[in-house]
């Protein structure tokens, strides 16, 4: 480890020491001075005083301890403050001249280097804090005290939890300089930033603040420093999206230039050496050699010992075991024969001479070579050649494609006698993360597998590079899936500990992006990845047996196997079969069908998909390649996708609803409630949502502004465009920057499945209980989406539901919400649920949404006013009708009509009263006659011959008066039968039946 130069702050210290000596000399008794001896040259050293305003300084001698001796050399004029030495030199303070460093040492001239990390070097501050503890969430800040950077010998590693770890170093530069370091940043789940602050705590070099993720070993980074005080910050903040522990950031070889001077050279650390004088760095010792500190050369190990490159000591070779060798196949010879071959794992660290040591098994007998891979043929007995264009092969011989067909170009590897020319393999050290010149995968006939590395935590790398793709049908710009190719491979992992297999994809030589990870033992299975960008693409498999570094090879029986790899539509590929194609009008050669057309098997002609369907399969599949659109969607003109035109109709009992979601077509950003982990770090899931778009155009996009500075460029692999996408956002108050940090973009909705008012569609369920009920009579409208990304945990891909709810109190874009029980928007990691409350989700207004209010008739005029029913659950659509004015009858008219009707009723009542009075008088007369007759009978007087009622006369009278007459007839009879004396004439019948008499 190298320390800071003696010139840093030397002037101030020298001046204080010199002043102390002068004061002591003035006040000390002379006899004490006589007891001090004259300083020897080994008992003092030289320092410079602080620079004055003219840029000058003095060189003074300072004893190693105050009061040690006397008789120091007098101060002399020092070098100019701007003086410095070259790299590999140091300033000899006695001669005030630059001298080369001796063998076994080095210097940066005007700088320092920190390359030993057995402990945090002196001058560094290593702190960790919970920046969100003040919000009252999570645990106390004391829980973060152990989450600092961890020194691990050759490098220092960051934390992997949710605390914020900061490594700081302050330096005062006498001239402009630089800071440089090497780092490994493999996982974007950690936000890694490096920045510099000056005396005013203002950041500098902001363009270098955010580090990019690394792929191939250590990356070098350098930043310019200004003169004066500089504080260097390396800061990490970890967060996990899918509850996976991220990999730490590694840092080493920190170098700073621009200090005043270096008064001494620094010895090489153990395991390195500097053979020549004047070295500015030290070299690593090669394998099987070692060195101590300050070595000018490396010493070889004994024959019974070994050492890895850069070792400080040798280790005894253990006895060889079966874990130290592997098997492979030789290339086919001229006779078409191959044989099993055993090899020692490199580097060979075991000894086969020790007792009970395993011996390398002899090579096996020769066997026949397997056939060539599909699309190839054997040109001779030992080599396989690709079939010419227009032909295909199953691995034995080439055959021409029949008329009306074309070769399906691709690459298919299922026989592994030799490694294909477009594949390469290597080993990445899990200790110092350097690439080794050795193979990590070996062929084994019908599969390729991982061999033993130098250590069980080495990464065994296998890479397949494809120059580009040639899809038979170009994908339209608005298509739901821009698939240009797909890769399918069959694999298996055999593990006894926590091994991991990574599958990564790189585009145009950029950093590989991890696509899928399998942990532990996995049975033989298949995995498919869809390629959507036509560019040079690399596919990488990386296998690590254990993340822990342990000496020796203990788990070499843990292996990953690849049985087959199939890549479609490879540019310049070969064909294993021929597919049906559309013929040119002349009928001789194949032609590509237009978007949304399929190939009719009988005629070979292109036919458009039927309305309401879209082409989802491949054109040669015939009409079955056309898939019906889901409810609430329709196919576009190109029949390349199904989309919703931002409208929806819903029939309710007695009411038909129509919706218009045009205002929700553009993207709407939404940040979920903060997610708090066990350490209290606050981060957000940031969602970008577009509902229907323009004929299916996906408006939402999420970018990575941390790990890839090119994220904003068109076509960047870090830019995700879809209906719904998600990114992880760490706010600026957490990372200490003016802008939020966004990382890990992922698509949640690439294809619109359908729109319904129900809770389920095509296997996607949107449980209504995820959100509080609305309490309104209108049902929610649910948009169902699917994502094209298929993951290990989501075999059917991710799905998304957006539940639109009418809320007149949320104008404009409204608000998005996630389920309260699932703050990340998903409860299972595969289906995401959103509630979108906005007034734009209300149906269009119709006649059933308003009512009429009829006003009073004033002056012969009556007004009718229309108002909305409350609560108003509609928008737009039909407008309120205008106020209607009509002529009406006034109150005076109806009063006259009422008086006339009352008068008529009074006359009628008077007539009826007279009629009933007359009838009552008649009954009284009859009653009086009966009374008189009854009295005469009691006196036994003879009955007079009078008009008295005879026996039985009542019945006849009843018959007489029972005859029905009209009201006016009765009145007429009443007036005609009255005599002059005022009495009525009553017809009577005698007992003898004579004619009626009138009285």
């Amino acid at each position: 480890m190298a320390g800071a130069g003696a010139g840093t702050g030397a002037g101030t210290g020298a001046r204080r020491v010199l002043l102390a000596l002068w004061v002591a000399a003035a006040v000390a008794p002379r006899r004490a001075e006589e007891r001090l001896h004259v300083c020897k040259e080994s008992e003092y050293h030289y320092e410079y005083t602080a620079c004055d305003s003219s840029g000058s300084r003095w060189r003074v001698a300072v004893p190693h301890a105050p009061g040690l001796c006397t008789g120091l050399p007098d101060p002399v004029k020092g070098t100019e403050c701007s003086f410095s030495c070259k790299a590999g030199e140091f300033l000899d303070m006695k001669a005030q001249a630059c001298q080369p460093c001796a063998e076994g040492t080095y210097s940066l001239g005007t700088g320092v280097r920190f390359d030993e990390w057995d402990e945090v070097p002196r001058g560094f501050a290593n702190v960790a804090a919970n920046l969100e503890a003040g919000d009252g969430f999570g645990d106390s800040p004391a829980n973060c005290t152990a989450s600092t950077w961890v020194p691990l010998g050759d490098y220092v590693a960051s934390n992997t939890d949710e605390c914020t770890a900061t490594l700081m170093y302050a330096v005062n530069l006498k001239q402009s300089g630089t800071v440089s370091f090497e780092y490994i940043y493999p996982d974007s789940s950690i936000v890694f930033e490096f920045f510099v602050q000056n005396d005013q705590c203002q950041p500098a070099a902001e363009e270098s603040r955010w580090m990019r993720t690394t792929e191939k070993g250590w990356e070098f980074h350098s930043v310019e420093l200004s003169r004066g005080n500089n504080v260097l910050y390396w800061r990490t903040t970890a967060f996990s999206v899918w509850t996976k522990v991220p990999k730490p950031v590694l840092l080493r070889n920190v170098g700073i230039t621009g200090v005043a001077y270096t008064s001494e050279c620094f010895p090489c650390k153990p395991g390195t050496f500097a053979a020549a004088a004047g070295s500015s760095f030290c070299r690593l010792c090669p394998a099987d050699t070692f060195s101590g500190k300050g070595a000018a050369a490396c010493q070889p190990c004994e024959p019974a010992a070994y050492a890895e490159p850069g070792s400080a000591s040798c280790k005894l070779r253990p006895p060889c075991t079966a874990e130290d060798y592997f098997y492979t196949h030789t290339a086919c010879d001229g006779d078409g024969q191959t044989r099993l071959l055993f090899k020692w794992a490199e580097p060979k660290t075991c000894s086969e001479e020790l007792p009970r040591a395993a011996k390398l098994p002899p090579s096996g007998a020769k066997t026949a070579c397997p056939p060539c891979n599909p699309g190839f043929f054997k040109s001779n007995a030992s080599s396989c050649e690709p079939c010419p264009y227009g032909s295909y092969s199953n691995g034995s011989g080439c055959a021409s494609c029949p008329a009306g067909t074309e070769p399906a170009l691709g690459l298919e590897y299922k026989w592994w006698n030799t490694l294909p020319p477009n594949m390469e393999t290597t080993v990445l050290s899990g200790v110092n993360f350097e690439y080794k010149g050795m193979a990590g995968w070996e062929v084994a006939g019908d599969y390729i597998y991982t061999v033993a590395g130098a250590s069980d935590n080495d990464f065994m790398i296998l890479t397949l590079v494809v120059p580009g793709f040639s899809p038979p049908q170009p994908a339209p710009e608005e298509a739901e899936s821009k698939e240009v190719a797909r890769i399918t491979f069959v694999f298996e992992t055999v593990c006894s500990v926590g091994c991991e297999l990574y599958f990564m994809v790189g585009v145009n030589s950029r950093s590989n992006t991890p696509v899928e990870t399998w942990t532990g033992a996995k049975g033989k299975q298949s995995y498919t990845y869809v390629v959507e960008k036509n560019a040079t693409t690399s596919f990488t498999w990386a296998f690590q047996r254990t993340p822990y570094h342990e000496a020796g090879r203990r788990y070499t029986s843990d292996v990953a196997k690849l049985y087959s790899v199939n890549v479609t539509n490879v540019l310049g590929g070969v064909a294993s079969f021929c597919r049906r194609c559309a013929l040119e009008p002349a009928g001789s050669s194949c032609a590509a069908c237009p978007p949304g057309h399929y190939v009719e098997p009988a005629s070979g002609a292109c036919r458009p998909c039927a309305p309401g369907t879209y082409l989802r399969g491949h054109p040669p599949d015939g009409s079955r390649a056309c898939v019906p659109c889901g409810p609430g969607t329709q196919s576009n003109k190109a029949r390349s996708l199904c989309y919703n035109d931002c409208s929806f109709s819903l029939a309710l009992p007695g009411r038909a609803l129509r919706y218009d979601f045009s205002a929700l077509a553009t993207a709407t950003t939404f940040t979920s409630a903060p997610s708090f982990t066990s350490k209290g770090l606050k981060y957000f899931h940031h969602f970008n949502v577009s509902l229907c778009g323009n004929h299916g155009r996906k408006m939402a996009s999420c970018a990575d502004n941390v790990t890839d500075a090119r994220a904003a460029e068109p076509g960047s692999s870090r830019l995700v465009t879809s209906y719904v996408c998600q990114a992880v956002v760490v706010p600026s108050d957490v990372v200490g920057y003016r802008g939020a940090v966004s990382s890990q973009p992922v698509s949640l909705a690439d294809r619109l499945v359908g729109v319904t008012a129900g809770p389920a569609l095509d296997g996607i369920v949107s449980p209504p209980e995820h959100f509080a009920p609305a309490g309104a009579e209108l049902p929610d409208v649910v948009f169902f989406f699917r994502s094209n990304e298929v993951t290990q945990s989501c075999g059917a891909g991710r799905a998304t539901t957006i539940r639109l709810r009418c809320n007149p109190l949320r104008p404009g874009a409204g608000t998005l919400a996630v389920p309260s029980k699932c703050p990340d928007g998903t409860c299972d990691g595969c289906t995401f649920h959103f509630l979108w409350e906005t007034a734009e989700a209300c149906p269009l207004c119709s006649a059933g949404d308003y009512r009429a209010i009829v006003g009073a008739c004033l002056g012969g005029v009556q007004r009718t006013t229309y108002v909305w029913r409350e609560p108003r659950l509609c928008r737009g659509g039909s407008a309120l009708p205008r106020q209607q004015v009509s002529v009406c009858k006034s109150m005076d008219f109806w009063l006259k009509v009422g008086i006339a009707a009352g008068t008529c009723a009074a006359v009628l009542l008077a007539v009826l009263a007279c009629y009933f009075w007359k009838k009552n008088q008649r009954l009284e007369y009859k009653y009086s006659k009966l009374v008189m007759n009854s009295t005469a009978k009691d006196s036994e007087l003879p009955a007079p011959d009078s008009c008295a009622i005879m026996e039985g006369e009542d019945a006849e009278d009843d018959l007489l008066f029972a005859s029905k007459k009209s009201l006016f007839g009765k009145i007429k009879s009443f007036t005609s039968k009255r005599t002059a004396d005022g009495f009525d004439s009553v017809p009577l019948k005698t007992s003898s039946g004579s004619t009626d008499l009138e009285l």
Side-chain angles (χ1 to χ4, degrees), residues 55 72 129 153-154 187 331 401 469 471 548 596 606 897:
L72 295 171
D154 292 333
D187 198 333
C401 290
F469 305 96
Y548 306 103
C606 295
V897 173

Side-chain angles (χ1 to χ4, degrees), residues 703-718:
D704 184 348
N705 66 357
V706 176
T707 60
D708 193 346
R710 300 160 295 188
E713 298 178 4
S716 171
S717 60
R718 292 288 183 176

Side-chain angles (χ1 to χ4, degrees), residues 208-228:
S208 304
R209 184 181 185 101
W210 307 114
M211 298 292 100
R212 297 181 183 178
T213 52
T214 58
E215 171 56 30
K216 295 183 178 180
W218 294 90
E219 290 282 346
F220 180 82
H221 187 71
S222 178
V223 175
E224 294 184 358
L225 300 178
S226 58
R227 181 180 177 181

Side-chain angles (χ1 to χ4, degrees), residues 741-752:
V741 174
S742 177
S743 183
Q744 296 181 319
V746 64
S747 173
L748 303 181
D750 293 307
R751 174 169 58 93
L752 178 60

